[in-house]
Amino acid sequence: MKTITATIINSLIGKEIPLPTYSTTGSAGIDLRACITAPLTVPAGETRIIGSGIAIDIHDSNLAAVLLPRSGLGVNQGIVLANLVGLIDSDYHQEIKIAIWNRSSTDFTINPGERICQMVFVPIVQVNFQWVAQLEANGRDGFGSTGVS
């Protein structure tokens, strides 16, 4: 298991709000919680940015963290991430902020300490482009070119 350096930005973390953890031994994502002092209502169709209360230092340019919505909130409540997926680069060391979008037609209230997204660490490969005049034909002609919907 890789170790990532983390710091508590908001003193609620580790006291009133649990530290981020994996929910089970098989969980791919670490649950991040709403680091807020009072319930926050996200009106239908609107976005709010919520602090996680932590910052991380990945220390490895071959890794990044990805923020993903919690499936239960998305399917049951219409609560997803505003940018659908958040990317935390290895050189970002500020508080992790979570942009929540209420895509439903009903207001939704987020409570202090509620799990609102998950963070997964992924390998990164940086590339160089080799610029050519034209790409080799491969028989595919665009979006949905496999013929499968």
Side-chain angles (χ1 to χ4, degrees):
M1 181 178 284
K2 184 149 180 82
T3 299
I4 301 293
T5 304
T7 190
I8 294 172
I9 300 294
N10 187 312
S11 62
L12 293 172
I13 298 293
K15 295 176 183 160
E16 288 90 0
I17 297 173
L19 291 167
T21 59
Y22 292 99
S23 290
T24 69
T25 56
S27 294
I30 296 171
D31 290 324
L32 296 182
R33 297 173 179 269
C35 191
I36 53 179
T37 57
L40 173 69
T41 297
V42 182
E46 293 193 20
T47 298
R48 295 292 183 269
I49 296 176
I50 301 170
S52 68
I54 68 162
I56 60 174
D57 185 351
I58 297 175
H59 288 296
D60 183 346
S61 61
N62 295 314
L63 281 179
V66 176
L67 301 182
L68 301 169
R70 296 192 66 242
S71 56
L73 284 177
V75 170
N76 300 325
Q77 307 297 330
I79 303 299
V80 296
L81 300 182
N83 52 343
L84 303 182
V85 174
L87 177 63
I88 311 298
D89 295 311
S90 65
D91 57 358
Y92 178 77
H93 302 150
Q94 303 300 312
E95 181 179 16
I96 296 171
K97 302 278 184 145
I98 305 155
I100 299 296
W101 171 36
N102 182 351
R103 63 184 175 130
S104 78
S105 58
T106 307
D107 294 354
F108 182 78
T109 300
I110 296 171
N111 293 303
E114 186 170 351
R115 296 179 298 155
I116 55 174
C117 79
Q118 50 195 329
M119 180 169 57
V120 175
F121 291 86
V122 296
I124 298 299
V125 177
Q126 290 186 337
V127 301
N128 290 313
F129 285 115
Q130 176 185 357
W131 296 102
V132 298
Q134 187 173 335
L135 296 179
E136 192 175 306
N138 67 3
R140 298 186 66 174
D141 60 0
F143 244 62
S145 65
T146 62
V148 178
S149 298

